[in-house]
Amino acid sequence: MSISIKTDEEVEKMRIAGKLAADVLVMIEEYIKAGVSTNDLDKICHDYIVDVQDAIPAPLNYRGFPKSICTSLNHQVCHGIPNDKKLKNGDIINIDITVIKEGYHGDTSKMFAVGTIPPYAQRLCDVAHKALYIGINQVKPGIRLGDIGYAIQHYAEAQHTSVVREYCGHGIGVKFHEDPQILHYGKPHTGDLITEGMTFTIEPMINLGKRHIKMLGDDWTVVTKDHKLSAQWEHTLLVTKTGVDILTLRAEEENWRDTLD
Ligand code: MF3
Ligand code: CO
Ligand code: CO
């Protein structure tokens, strides 16, 4: 396999898919409250993607995944399967949306708080969010993949959190998961060179406790081994001539660079 460089026409389609995925996260926010089940959220997102956006929810039937979105609650790291359990006050939840529009994928996720959450949970969500931005801020032609991973790991560990190693960001385009793998840990000046026209995700999973994970019996849901909280944020990116465009940016994040000191 090799890294695909997108043509201008492909970039246009990636922009459209990215915008649609971001719009789903904006749309779903008002529904996230105590008493709603993750199946309810799955149905609302499914119907919005299919009926309003005229797009396809990529997770549905992807390698046998049974639902249209991933919902990862509290100590769940990623790939949580929506079910009938209801959200409760104090929960944190990652909603991960991937849509396909005109054959191209847009992939993005964010953390939501259910009601009032404890300060340590808020802090973890904030660290994971900043870790994503720090990774994105590295991206420009000429850097290497290891520079992204190093920046994320260095920041997260300085905050006394840990970085999950087993799952990574990925190239994205006609395929959901393309080359290259974008590790969220690593060494500076190592790995493949980043070049203009690449599209890939960064999606660090940051744990409050140790980095180790285990897989549940459903063969999808990944949880922390120590059952402490985990948080993740994800964007789909385009490498431009001079830097990076966030294809899944939401209006609330317009000033994302200001959050980096
Ligand atoms: N959206 C996830 C990612 O960021 C992948 C989910 S695969 C699924 O790569 F099958 F669980 F949907
Ligand atoms: Co992804
Ligand atoms: Co995703």
Side-chain angles (χ1 to χ4, degrees), residues 24 28 38-46 49 57-60 65-72 79-82 93-98:
V24 178
I28 201 62
T38 46
N39 264 344
D40 296 335
L41 300 175
D42 179 69
K43 174 157 179 32
I44 295 164
C45 289
H46 171 95
I49 292 165
L60 189 59
F65 192 79
K67 300 282 175 169
S68 296
I69 65 174
C70 296
T71 52
S72 303
H79 304 165
I81 303 175
I93 184 169
N94 173 278
I95 309 255
D96 193 339
I97 302 291
T98 312

PDB file of all heavy atoms in Angstrom, residues 24 28 38-46 49 57-60 65-72 79-82 93-98:
ATOM      1  N   VAL A  24     -22.627  16.906  11.671  1.00  0.00           N
ATOM      2  CA  VAL A  24     -23.343  15.917  12.490  1.00  0.00           C
ATOM      3  C   VAL A  24     -23.017  16.121  13.971  1.00  0.00           C
ATOM      4  O   VAL A  24     -23.906  16.058  14.832  1.00  0.00           O
ATOM      5  CB  VAL A  24     -23.017  14.477  12.049  1.00  0.00           C
ATOM      6  CG1 VAL A  24     -23.733  13.462  12.937  1.00  0.00           C
ATOM      7  CG2 VAL A  24     -23.399  14.250  10.586  1.00  0.00           C
ATOM      8  N   ILE A  28     -25.856  16.958  16.822  1.00  0.00           N
ATOM      9  CA  ILE A  28     -26.213  16.004  17.880  1.00  0.00           C
ATOM     10  C   ILE A  28     -26.089  16.600  19.289  1.00  0.00           C
ATOM     11  O   ILE A  28     -26.673  16.078  20.245  1.00  0.00           O
ATOM     12  CB  ILE A  28     -25.369  14.691  17.757  1.00  0.00           C
ATOM     13  CG1 ILE A  28     -26.059  13.528  18.496  1.00  0.00           C
ATOM     14  CG2 ILE A  28     -23.939  14.883  18.236  1.00  0.00           C
ATOM     15  CD1 ILE A  28     -27.408  13.146  17.959  1.00  0.00           C
ATOM     16  N   THR A  38     -27.588   5.666  23.941  1.00  0.00           N
ATOM     17  CA  THR A  38     -26.684   5.827  22.793  1.00  0.00           C
ATOM     18  C   THR A  38     -27.333   5.286  21.514  1.00  0.00           C
ATOM     19  O   THR A  38     -27.008   5.743  20.427  1.00  0.00           O
ATOM     20  CB  THR A  38     -25.323   5.167  23.079  1.00  0.00           C
ATOM     21  OG1 THR A  38     -25.522   3.868  23.642  1.00  0.00           O
ATOM     22  CG2 THR A  38     -24.518   6.021  24.043  1.00  0.00           C
ATOM     23  N   ASN A  39     -28.278   4.352  21.665  1.00  0.00           N
ATOM     24  CA  ASN A  39     -29.061   3.935  20.489  1.00  0.00           C
ATOM     25  C   ASN A  39     -29.906   5.089  19.943  1.00  0.00           C
ATOM     26  O   ASN A  39     -30.073   5.223  18.728  1.00  0.00           O
ATOM     27  CB  ASN A  39     -29.993   2.768  20.848  1.00  0.00           C
ATOM     28  CG  ASN A  39     -29.385   1.422  20.487  1.00  0.00           C
ATOM     29  OD1 ASN A  39     -28.428   1.342  19.714  1.00  0.00           O
ATOM     30  ND2 ASN A  39     -29.939   0.361  21.053  1.00  0.00           N
ATOM     31  N   ASP A  40     -30.459   5.914  20.855  1.00  0.00           N
ATOM     32  CA  ASP A  40     -31.223   7.095  20.406  1.00  0.00           C
ATOM     33  C   ASP A  40     -30.302   8.004  19.579  1.00  0.00           C
ATOM     34  O   ASP A  40     -30.682   8.494  18.509  1.00  0.00           O
ATOM     35  CB  ASP A  40     -31.752   7.906  21.600  1.00  0.00           C
ATOM     36  CG  ASP A  40     -32.765   7.137  22.452  1.00  0.00           C
ATOM     37  OD1 ASP A  40     -33.417   6.224  21.908  1.00  0.00           O
ATOM     38  OD2 ASP A  40     -32.890   7.467  23.649  1.00  0.00           O
ATOM     39  N   LEU A  41     -29.096   8.237  20.091  1.00  0.00           N
ATOM     40  CA  LEU A  41     -28.147   9.122  19.393  1.00  0.00           C
ATOM     41  C   LEU A  41     -27.766   8.526  18.034  1.00  0.00           C
ATOM     42  O   LEU A  41     -27.651   9.242  17.034  1.00  0.00           O
ATOM     43  CB  LEU A  41     -26.893   9.343  20.244  1.00  0.00           C
ATOM     44  CG  LEU A  41     -27.128   9.988  21.617  1.00  0.00           C
ATOM     45  CD1 LEU A  41     -25.825  10.046  22.403  1.00  0.00           C
ATOM     46  CD2 LEU A  41     -27.729  11.391  21.474  1.00  0.00           C
ATOM     47  N   ASP A  42     -27.588   7.206  18.018  1.00  0.00           N
ATOM     48  CA  ASP A  42     -27.253   6.511  16.763  1.00  0.00           C
ATOM     49  C   ASP A  42     -28.350   6.721  15.722  1.00  0.00           C
ATOM     50  O   ASP A  42     -28.073   7.021  14.558  1.00  0.00           O
ATOM     51  CB  ASP A  42     -27.069   5.016  17.056  1.00  0.00           C
ATOM     52  CG  ASP A  42     -26.741   4.220  15.805  1.00  0.00           C
ATOM     53  OD1 ASP A  42     -25.641   4.394  15.260  1.00  0.00           O
ATOM     54  OD2 ASP A  42     -27.605   3.432  15.365  1.00  0.00           O
ATOM     55  N   LYS A  43     -29.593   6.592  16.165  1.00  0.00           N
ATOM     56  CA  LYS A  43     -30.719   6.725  15.212  1.00  0.00           C
ATOM     57  C   LYS A  43     -30.825   8.160  14.678  1.00  0.00           C
ATOM     58  O   LYS A  43     -31.044   8.370  13.477  1.00  0.00           O
ATOM     59  CB  LYS A  43     -32.034   6.297  15.864  1.00  0.00           C
ATOM     60  CG  LYS A  43     -33.238   6.550  14.955  1.00  0.00           C
ATOM     61  CD  LYS A  43     -34.411   5.679  15.281  1.00  0.00           C
ATOM     62  CE  LYS A  43     -35.634   5.940  14.389  1.00  0.00           C
ATOM     63  NZ  LYS A  43     -35.395   6.359  13.014  1.00  0.00           N
ATOM     64  N   ILE A  44     -30.653   9.115  15.593  1.00  0.00           N
ATOM     65  CA  ILE A  44     -30.754  10.529  15.172  1.00  0.00           C
ATOM     66  C   ILE A  44     -29.649  10.832  14.147  1.00  0.00           C
ATOM     67  O   ILE A  44     -29.899  11.454  13.105  1.00  0.00           O
ATOM     68  CB  ILE A  44     -30.645  11.471  16.390  1.00  0.00           C
ATOM     69  CG1 ILE A  44     -31.839  11.257  17.332  1.00  0.00           C
ATOM     70  CG2 ILE A  44     -30.567  12.932  15.941  1.00  0.00           C
ATOM     71  CD1 ILE A  44     -31.637  11.843  18.726  1.00  0.00           C
ATOM     72  N   CYS A  45     -28.431  10.376  14.429  1.00  0.00           N
ATOM     73  CA  CYS A  45     -27.313  10.630  13.499  1.00  0.00           C
ATOM     74  C   CYS A  45     -27.534   9.891  12.181  1.00  0.00           C
ATOM     75  O   CYS A  45     -27.324  10.459  11.099  1.00  0.00           O
ATOM     76  CB  CYS A  45     -25.985  10.198  14.122  1.00  0.00           C
ATOM     77  SG  CYS A  45     -25.448  11.266  15.466  1.00  0.00           S
ATOM     78  N   HIS A  46     -27.937   8.633  12.265  1.00  0.00           N
ATOM     79  CA  HIS A  46     -28.182   7.849  11.051  1.00  0.00           C
ATOM     80  C   HIS A  46     -29.170   8.570  10.137  1.00  0.00           C
ATOM     81  O   HIS A  46     -28.917   8.766   8.945  1.00  0.00           O
ATOM     82  CB  HIS A  46     -28.720   6.458  11.388  1.00  0.00           C
ATOM     83  CG  HIS A  46     -29.177   5.692  10.185  1.00  0.00           C
ATOM     84  ND1 HIS A  46     -28.371   4.803   9.523  1.00  0.00           N
ATOM     85  CD2 HIS A  46     -30.345   5.741   9.490  1.00  0.00           C
ATOM     86  CE1 HIS A  46     -29.018   4.332   8.479  1.00  0.00           C
ATOM     87  NE2 HIS A  46     -30.226   4.880   8.429  1.00  0.00           N
ATOM     88  N   ILE A  49     -27.749  11.815   8.611  1.00  0.00           N
ATOM     89  CA  ILE A  49     -26.750  11.565   7.560  1.00  0.00           C
ATOM     90  C   ILE A  49     -27.437  11.087   6.273  1.00  0.00           C
ATOM     91  O   ILE A  49     -27.142  11.568   5.171  1.00  0.00           O
ATOM     92  CB  ILE A  49     -25.704  10.528   8.049  1.00  0.00           C
ATOM     93  CG1 ILE A  49     -24.856  11.124   9.180  1.00  0.00           C
ATOM     94  CG2 ILE A  49     -24.800  10.072   6.889  1.00  0.00           C
ATOM     95  CD1 ILE A  49     -24.048  10.095   9.962  1.00  0.00           C
ATOM     96  N   PRO A  57     -23.490   6.660   6.440  1.00  0.00           N
ATOM     97  CA  PRO A  57     -22.736   6.510   7.684  1.00  0.00           C
ATOM     98  C   PRO A  57     -21.708   5.382   7.518  1.00  0.00           C
ATOM     99  O   PRO A  57     -22.084   4.205   7.428  1.00  0.00           O
ATOM    100  CB  PRO A  57     -23.802   6.151   8.723  1.00  0.00           C
ATOM    101  CG  PRO A  57     -24.994   5.672   7.956  1.00  0.00           C
ATOM    102  CD  PRO A  57     -24.848   6.064   6.517  1.00  0.00           C
ATOM    103  N   ALA A  58     -20.438   5.732   7.474  1.00  0.00           N
ATOM    104  CA  ALA A  58     -19.390   4.757   7.129  1.00  0.00           C
ATOM    105  C   ALA A  58     -19.272   3.577   8.097  1.00  0.00           C
ATOM    106  O   ALA A  58     -18.961   2.462   7.658  1.00  0.00           O
ATOM    107  CB  ALA A  58     -18.041   5.467   6.982  1.00  0.00           C
ATOM    108  N   PRO A  59     -19.477   3.782   9.417  1.00  0.00           N
ATOM    109  CA  PRO A  59     -19.295   2.637  10.317  1.00  0.00           C
ATOM    110  C   PRO A  59     -20.275   1.494  10.069  1.00  0.00           C
ATOM    111  O   PRO A  59     -19.938   0.331  10.324  1.00  0.00           O
ATOM    112  CB  PRO A  59     -19.530   3.250  11.710  1.00  0.00           C
ATOM    113  CG  PRO A  59     -19.142   4.679  11.542  1.00  0.00           C
ATOM    114  CD  PRO A  59     -19.648   5.041  10.157  1.00  0.00           C
ATOM    115  N   LEU A  60     -21.501   1.791   9.603  1.00  0.00           N
ATOM    116  CA  LEU A  60     -22.545   0.770   9.484  1.00  0.00           C
ATOM    117  C   LEU A  60     -22.089  -0.352   8.550  1.00  0.00           C
ATOM    118  O   LEU A  60     -21.853  -0.127   7.358  1.00  0.00           O
ATOM    119  CB  LEU A  60     -23.839   1.415   8.971  1.00  0.00           C
ATOM    120  CG  LEU A  60     -25.082   0.530   8.986  1.00  0.00           C
ATOM    121  CD1 LEU A  60     -25.401   0.025  10.391  1.00  0.00           C
ATOM    122  CD2 LEU A  60     -26.281   1.292   8.404  1.00  0.00           C
ATOM    123  N   PHE A  65     -19.222  -3.867  11.880  1.00  0.00           N
ATOM    124  CA  PHE A  65     -19.708  -2.959  12.933  1.00  0.00           C
ATOM    125  C   PHE A  65     -21.213  -2.764  12.741  1.00  0.00           C
ATOM    126  O   PHE A  65     -21.667  -2.490  11.637  1.00  0.00           O
ATOM    127  CB  PHE A  65     -18.974  -1.613  12.872  1.00  0.00           C
ATOM    128  CG  PHE A  65     -19.204  -0.748  14.088  1.00  0.00           C
ATOM    129  CD1 PHE A  65     -18.511  -0.981  15.267  1.00  0.00           C
ATOM    130  CD2 PHE A  65     -20.136   0.290  14.049  1.00  0.00           C
ATOM    131  CE1 PHE A  65     -18.724  -0.180  16.394  1.00  0.00           C
ATOM    132  CE2 PHE A  65     -20.358   1.094  15.179  1.00  0.00           C
ATOM    133  CZ  PHE A  65     -19.647   0.857  16.346  1.00  0.00           C
ATOM    134  N   PRO A  66     -22.004  -2.911  13.837  1.00  0.00           N
ATOM    135  CA  PRO A  66     -23.462  -2.988  13.657  1.00  0.00           C
ATOM    136  C   PRO A  66     -24.208  -1.658  13.665  1.00  0.00           C
ATOM    137  O   PRO A  66     -25.416  -1.648  13.438  1.00  0.00           O
ATOM    138  CB  PRO A  66     -23.898  -3.838  14.861  1.00  0.00           C
ATOM    139  CG  PRO A  66     -22.885  -3.535  15.914  1.00  0.00           C
ATOM    140  CD  PRO A  66     -21.591  -3.261  15.206  1.00  0.00           C
ATOM    141  N   LYS A  67     -23.555  -0.548  13.943  1.00  0.00           N
ATOM    142  CA  LYS A  67     -24.269   0.729  14.097  1.00  0.00           C
ATOM    143  C   LYS A  67     -23.653   1.803  13.204  1.00  0.00           C
ATOM    144  O   LYS A  67     -22.631   1.584  12.552  1.00  0.00           O
ATOM    145  CB  LYS A  67     -24.238   1.168  15.565  1.00  0.00           C
ATOM    146  CG  LYS A  67     -24.886   0.173  16.520  1.00  0.00           C
ATOM    147  CD  LYS A  67     -26.402   0.256  16.501  1.00  0.00           C
ATOM    148  CE  LYS A  67     -27.001  -0.853  17.381  1.00  0.00           C
ATOM    149  NZ  LYS A  67     -28.434  -0.663  17.590  1.00  0.00           N
ATOM    150  N   SER A  68     -24.262   2.999  13.226  1.00  0.00           N
ATOM    151  CA  SER A  68     -23.867   4.069  12.302  1.00  0.00           C
ATOM    152  C   SER A  68     -22.856   5.046  12.879  1.00  0.00           C
ATOM    153  O   SER A  68     -22.268   5.850  12.141  1.00  0.00           O
ATOM    154  CB  SER A  68     -25.104   4.850  11.857  1.00  0.00           C
ATOM    155  OG  SER A  68     -25.955   3.988  11.120  1.00  0.00           O
ATOM    156  N   ILE A  69     -22.701   5.034  14.213  1.00  0.00           N
ATOM    157  CA  ILE A  69     -21.724   5.909  14.875  1.00  0.00           C
ATOM    158  C   ILE A  69     -21.037   5.102  15.979  1.00  0.00           C
ATOM    159  O   ILE A  69     -21.531   4.035  16.378  1.00  0.00           O
ATOM    160  CB  ILE A  69     -22.390   7.159  15.510  1.00  0.00           C
ATOM    161  CG1 ILE A  69     -23.347   6.768  16.654  1.00  0.00           C
ATOM    162  CG2 ILE A  69     -23.138   7.971  14.438  1.00  0.00           C
ATOM    163  CD1 ILE A  69     -23.917   7.967  17.427  1.00  0.00           C
ATOM    164  N   CYS A  70     -19.917   5.609  16.475  1.00  0.00           N
ATOM    165  CA  CYS A  70     -19.296   5.014  17.654  1.00  0.00           C
ATOM    166  C   CYS A  70     -19.572   5.923  18.842  1.00  0.00           C
ATOM    167  O   CYS A  70     -19.464   7.151  18.734  1.00  0.00           O
ATOM    168  CB  CYS A  70     -17.786   4.865  17.472  1.00  0.00           C
ATOM    169  SG  CYS A  70     -17.333   3.734  16.148  1.00  0.00           S
ATOM    170  N   THR A  71     -19.944   5.307  19.973  1.00  0.00           N
ATOM    171  CA  THR A  71     -20.220   6.059  21.203  1.00  0.00           C
ATOM    172  C   THR A  71     -19.387   5.437  22.319  1.00  0.00           C
ATOM    173  O   THR A  71     -19.656   4.308  22.726  1.00  0.00           O
ATOM    174  CB  THR A  71     -21.718   5.991  21.552  1.00  0.00           C
ATOM    175  OG1 THR A  71     -22.148   4.619  21.555  1.00  0.00           O
ATOM    176  CG2 THR A  71     -22.562   6.761  20.535  1.00  0.00           C
ATOM    177  N   SER A  72     -18.379   6.147  22.784  1.00  0.00           N
ATOM    178  CA  SER A  72     -17.455   5.578  23.775  1.00  0.00           C
ATOM    179  C   SER A  72     -17.586   6.353  25.080  1.00  0.00           C
ATOM    180  O   SER A  72     -17.272   7.545  25.144  1.00  0.00           O
ATOM    181  CB  SER A  72     -16.029   5.609  23.237  1.00  0.00           C
ATOM    182  OG  SER A  72     -15.986   4.893  22.001  1.00  0.00           O
ATOM    183  N   HIS A  79     -14.525   2.962  19.722  1.00  0.00           N
ATOM    184  CA  HIS A  79     -15.320   1.946  19.033  1.00  0.00           C
ATOM    185  C   HIS A  79     -16.445   1.366  19.890  1.00  0.00           C
ATOM    186  O   HIS A  79     -16.858   0.220  19.682  1.00  0.00           O
ATOM    187  CB  HIS A  79     -14.430   0.816  18.507  1.00  0.00           C
ATOM    188  CG  HIS A  79     -13.330   1.306  17.606  1.00  0.00           C
ATOM    189  ND1 HIS A  79     -12.255   0.541  17.253  1.00  0.00           N
ATOM    190  CD2 HIS A  79     -13.156   2.494  16.985  1.00  0.00           C
ATOM    191  CE1 HIS A  79     -11.453   1.236  16.463  1.00  0.00           C
ATOM    192  NE2 HIS A  79     -11.974   2.428  16.278  1.00  0.00           N
ATOM    193  N   GLY A  80     -16.948   2.171  20.846  1.00  0.00           N
ATOM    194  CA  GLY A  80     -18.114   1.741  21.617  1.00  0.00           C
ATOM    195  C   GLY A  80     -19.322   1.589  20.704  1.00  0.00           C
ATOM    196  O   GLY A  80     -19.535   2.388  19.795  1.00  0.00           O
ATOM    197  N   ILE A  81     -20.092   0.539  20.944  1.00  0.00           N
ATOM    198  CA  ILE A  81     -21.276   0.260  20.119  1.00  0.00           C
ATOM    199  C   ILE A  81     -22.511   0.838  20.815  1.00  0.00           C
ATOM    200  O   ILE A  81     -22.765   0.512  21.980  1.00  0.00           O
ATOM    201  CB  ILE A  81     -21.456  -1.267  19.929  1.00  0.00           C
ATOM    202  CG1 ILE A  81     -20.205  -1.885  19.317  1.00  0.00           C
ATOM    203  CG2 ILE A  81     -22.681  -1.541  19.061  1.00  0.00           C
ATOM    204  CD1 ILE A  81     -20.270  -3.414  19.227  1.00  0.00           C
ATOM    205  N   PRO A  82     -23.271   1.671  20.126  1.00  0.00           N
ATOM    206  CA  PRO A  82     -24.494   2.212  20.736  1.00  0.00           C
ATOM    207  C   PRO A  82     -25.406   1.095  21.243  1.00  0.00           C
ATOM    208  O   PRO A  82     -25.508   0.035  20.619  1.00  0.00           O
ATOM    209  CB  PRO A  82     -25.138   2.989  19.574  1.00  0.00           C
ATOM    210  CG  PRO A  82     -23.983   3.415  18.723  1.00  0.00           C
ATOM    211  CD  PRO A  82     -23.015   2.260  18.793  1.00  0.00           C
ATOM    212  N   ILE A  93     -18.655  11.373  27.111  1.00  0.00           N
ATOM    213  CA  ILE A  93     -18.869  10.460  25.984  1.00  0.00           C
ATOM    214  C   ILE A  93     -18.226  11.020  24.722  1.00  0.00           C
ATOM    215  O   ILE A  93     -18.335  12.214  24.436  1.00  0.00           O
ATOM    216  CB  ILE A  93     -20.381  10.192  25.761  1.00  0.00           C
ATOM    217  CG1 ILE A  93     -20.587   9.159  24.648  1.00  0.00           C
ATOM    218  CG2 ILE A  93     -21.157  11.480  25.496  1.00  0.00           C
ATOM    219  CD1 ILE A  93     -22.006   8.640  24.540  1.00  0.00           C
ATOM    220  N   ASN A  94     -17.534  10.128  24.015  1.00  0.00           N
ATOM    221  CA  ASN A  94     -17.007  10.463  22.689  1.00  0.00           C
ATOM    222  C   ASN A  94     -17.998   9.988  21.633  1.00  0.00           C
ATOM    223  O   ASN A  94     -18.457   8.852  21.668  1.00  0.00           O
ATOM    224  CB  ASN A  94     -15.655   9.787  22.450  1.00  0.00           C
ATOM    225  CG  ASN A  94     -15.172   9.988  21.013  1.00  0.00           C
ATOM    226  OD1 ASN A  94     -15.582   9.276  20.095  1.00  0.00           O
ATOM    227  ND2 ASN A  94     -14.314  10.969  20.818  1.00  0.00           N
ATOM    228  N   ILE A  95     -18.330  10.901  20.736  1.00  0.00           N
ATOM    229  CA  ILE A  95     -19.145  10.529  19.571  1.00  0.00           C
ATOM    230  C   ILE A  95     -18.244  10.650  18.356  1.00  0.00           C
ATOM    231  O   ILE A  95     -17.651  11.713  18.107  1.00  0.00           O
ATOM    232  CB  ILE A  95     -20.356  11.469  19.413  1.00  0.00           C
ATOM    233  CG1 ILE A  95     -21.119  11.560  20.734  1.00  0.00           C
ATOM    234  CG2 ILE A  95     -21.222  11.027  18.238  1.00  0.00           C
ATOM    235  CD1 ILE A  95     -22.377  10.826  20.818  1.00  0.00           C
ATOM    236  N   ASP A  96     -18.106   9.550  17.619  1.00  0.00           N
ATOM    237  CA  ASP A  96     -17.211   9.500  16.458  1.00  0.00           C
ATOM    238  C   ASP A  96     -18.069   9.293  15.205  1.00  0.00           C
ATOM    239  O   ASP A  96     -18.779   8.289  15.084  1.00  0.00           O
ATOM    240  CB  ASP A  96     -16.200   8.361  16.640  1.00  0.00           C
ATOM    241  CG  ASP A  96     -15.050   8.435  15.636  1.00  0.00           C
ATOM    242  OD1 ASP A  96     -15.203   9.076  14.574  1.00  0.00           O
ATOM    243  OD2 ASP A  96     -14.000   7.821  15.920  1.00  0.00           O
ATOM    244  N   ILE A  97     -17.981  10.275  14.314  1.00  0.00           N
ATOM    245  CA  ILE A  97     -18.821  10.303  13.115  1.00  0.00           C
ATOM    246  C   ILE A  97     -17.947  10.157  11.874  1.00  0.00           C
ATOM    247  O   ILE A  97     -16.963  10.887  11.706  1.00  0.00           O
ATOM    248  CB  ILE A  97     -19.544  11.675  13.001  1.00  0.00           C
ATOM    249  CG1 ILE A  97     -20.394  11.966  14.242  1.00  0.00           C
ATOM    250  CG2 ILE A  97     -20.352  11.757  11.697  1.00  0.00           C
ATOM    251  CD1 ILE A  97     -21.609  11.087  14.403  1.00  0.00           C
ATOM    252  N   THR A  98     -18.303   9.225  11.007  1.00  0.00           N
ATOM    253  CA  THR A  98     -17.652   9.153   9.699  1.00  0.00           C
ATOM    254  C   THR A  98     -18.733   9.062   8.634  1.00  0.00           C
ATOM    255  O   THR A  98     -19.608   8.185   8.705  1.00  0.00           O
ATOM    256  CB  THR A  98     -16.716   7.941   9.591  1.00  0.00           C
ATOM    257  OG1 THR A  98     -15.885   7.896  10.751  1.00  0.00           O
ATOM    258  CG2 THR A  98     -15.838   8.047   8.340  1.00  0.00           C
TER     259      THR A  98
END
